[in-house]
Amino acid sequence: MSIHPLEPLSPREIETAVGVFRTQHSDEKAFFCSVGLVEPAKAAVKSGSADSRIVRLLGTDTNGDGGFEADIDVTVGAVVNLTRLGFEAQAPYGYADIDIATRLTKTNAEWLAAVARRGIATATEADLELIQIDPWPAGGYPHPAIPPGHRAMRCIAFLREDATDNGYARPIHGLTAHVDLTDRKVVYLEDTGDIPLPPDAGRYDAAHQPATRTDLRELAITQPDGSSFEVDGYRISWQGFDFRVSIHPVHGLVLHQLSLKDRPLLYRAALSEMIVPYGDSDPMHAWKHVLDASEYNMGTLINSLKLGCDCLGEIHYFDVHQVTWEGKVKTVENAICLHEEDYGIQWKHYDGQSQTSEVRRSRRLVISSIFTIGNYDYGFYWYLYLDGTIQMEIKLTGIVGVSAVTEETHNPAQSPLVARNLASPVHQHVFCFRLDWELDGGPNALYENEIEVLPVDDENPDGTQFRAVSRHLIDEHSAQRNVAPEKSRYWKVVNPESKNAFGVPVAYKLLPAASPSLFARPDSAVGKRGAFGRHHLWATPFAEDELSAAGPHTVMHDGRGGLPDYTRSNRDISTCDLVMWHTVALTHVPRPEDWPVMPVEYTGFHLIPVGFFDRNPTLDLPSTCHGAD
Ligand SMILES: [Cu+2]
């Protein structure tokens, strides 16, 4: 078999898996949430002995439990595992759940009456088409009328002017339908009273703008000799970097087996989980803390990208294949974008004495995908640089969550105005990345580095001196750390056995952003379900099944899964097959400029070589000044 064990699933493999599953599972109401490759054991991949292809199908049916997890070996055409998921750790929400929750809400007599009472037409099918239902996960705060273990969502609603309107400009405020998906009914309609629809449209499409700028001249990116990367299937090589890409149903964009100049760096690097907790007291928002990756299957919400719009220049695209809720193959074309970008200068010096200048251009390889999860759009961009630096940049855009408010109900500290009678709650976006290191083949050790200001003494009379100190993090508990920008704190992955020209062990450092941590109290539902957000750094010794910062199945789960669970026994990590978990977060206090669509906001982190090379590795860059005569 010539197929690489980490090659993404082909349409044929998905068809086979669904077909085999159906022979053993006769429920015609089986709805699929996702399909994914069960990545073979790391040791088997590395030794070249991984020879089976296991496809995992997750979904729900009429069984009334948390759904099914079916693993199908498509090389032999057999179900090798069929697990019923329990009440407390269910299959992710899929398109079928969204569809059912929407239909149940729109056909509920009490809900229809409450909408009509607000002066909104509901008489015809066309009227109802204009009402947008957003079903949200109810986990953490299920309505007391929903029996424990039932699958639940909360549905909020918005009114559109027409099918192409901004779906969020007019919240039908104060109305939340609590839906029991297991019993297929609205169990409770929460109605906190009428608030008028905000008066202004929130159109952001070009056709609705009063004018379009005419003074932006064309900016063309051309590479007349083609790009400098090579692609073989889903394997990519560029400037000494070599790696594979895939899309995971939960983790989204994944880099596999990343090496630089034949030296291994990372076995696997990807988002593991994210949570978006809201800080507002408004009953429409106070409970919101969606685990977008695992509850909604972020990978299945990937965009098909468009040349010249999403990506500019000489692009190579990768398609991905997924499953629809009925079990058909769905191909998302152009789902992963690969291209090079000029990135200003790599280095420069002007020598005054000789009046000569030496300067080299920097460029980066960009691997990116964009996921739309309800109102928000998240872009994940991996950048590889000529000097060995690796960067993850998250781009947050889309439409902020909103409330309709009056002068009496407006609470600016928790929900600033973004338009007339429209407020947007304060919230956080908390992302946890799992970085499975194999620096120079491993094993690896983890250090915390920071600056220590030296005391005033005879050697330091003015108190101006400081030094870099380094501390070995030897077990899981001592590796639960937070950022400290005031101390220039960073974390360093070291290979103690691999030394550079100066006899110093080679390293890569993780340079974090100045992130907040999770604000919710640790013993709150949000604090328990998003516990990974308490620390910016976690570390574990590699374990095959530890991939999920909040636990593998989070729908209706009460929390404490994932990292708190993995690290409970405080395992030794002093020198090991090291997995680093990095939480990066931002707090969003919405502003008028975020409406009606949000200019991209950025966050992320860098991985930077420290003594991995013996000197600046970019001295060999050509000194050509492109575009000059
Ligand atoms: Cu936000």
Side-chain angles (χ1 to χ4, degrees), residues 276 278 375-376 378 396-397 399-401 424-429 586-590 594 598 601:
V276 184
Y278 282 64
N375 52 311
Y376 249 89
Y378 294 98
L396 299 92
T397 180
I399 304 178
V400 289
S424 179
V426 294
H427 58 275
Q428 295 191 279
H429 301 264
L586 57 84
T587 304
H588 194 178
V589 180
D594 289 334
M598 200 183 133
E601 188 159 347

Side-chain angles (χ1 to χ4, degrees), residues 270-340:
L271 179 80
S272 172
E273 187 57 273
M274 57 182 285
I275 188 167
V276 184
Y278 282 64
D280 191 10
S281 59
D282 186 319
M284 287 263 290
H285 301 286
W287 44 271
K288 285 183 178 173
H289 65 285
V290 58
L291 292 146
D292 284 298
S294 60
E295 286 190 303
Y296 278 140
N297 262 330
M298 190 186 76
T300 65
L301 306 174
I302 195 165
N303 286 195
S304 178
L305 303 173
K306 210 164 159 195
L307 183 63
C309 301
D310 292 295
C311 320
L312 196 58
E314 284 285 317
I315 308 291
H316 181 93
Y317 288 111
F318 300 86
D319 296 346
V320 302
H321 309 290
Q322 303 186 329
V323 71
T324 66
W325 52 277
E326 310 104 310
K328 300 208 169 64
V329 174
K330 172 181 152 194
T331 296
V332 181
E333 291 175 348
N334 303 343
I336 305 173
C337 170
L338 176 73
H339 72 287
E340 291 174 287

